[in-house]
Amino acid sequence: MWAVVFASAPAEVDLWTSDTTTSTTTVGAGVTKLNLPLNEAGGYMRARLRRNGAIITDFAPSGYFYQPHPQTYNFNAFTASSPN
């Protein structure tokens, strides 16, 4: 999974693709590209941005499904954006 974070000030970003695949990264103000492996079939995407202990946004798009070994080649493309 790739995530692009547009932050107005430094923050911590938590990413999940499953209950066992998680990451926390400190980002600065500006644009930051992050990634996390998609290891489990049926996994999900979730991103949370925190600043000074407060949750700014917590986003988990619905309608996403990951298929690690499709019968026909594809890119498993999915695009979503947080409303915050």
Side-chain angles (χ1 to χ4, degrees):
M1 171 183 76
W2 291 93
V4 179
V5 179
F6 297 88
S8 59
E12 289 191 334
V13 176
D14 305 311
L15 296 177
W16 291 264
T17 57
S18 71
D19 292 339
T20 58
T21 306
T22 64
S23 171
T24 298
T25 305
T26 300
V27 300
V31 181
T32 304
K33 183 172 72 170
L34 305 172
N35 65 15
L36 192 61
L38 295 167
N39 293 328
E40 297 181 30
Y44 55 87
M45 292 188 289
R46 180 178 174 197
R48 178 172 58 199
L49 186 131
R50 298 178 287 122
R51 187 177 296 123
N52 299 323
I55 296 173
I56 306 304
T57 189
D58 192 340
F59 182 62
S62 61
Y64 174 78
F65 173 78
Y66 172 67
Q67 171 58 275
H69 304 289
Q71 298 264 336
T72 308
Y73 183 78
N74 68 48
F75 289 100
N76 285 301
F78 184 88
T79 303
S81 64
S82 172
N84 297 0

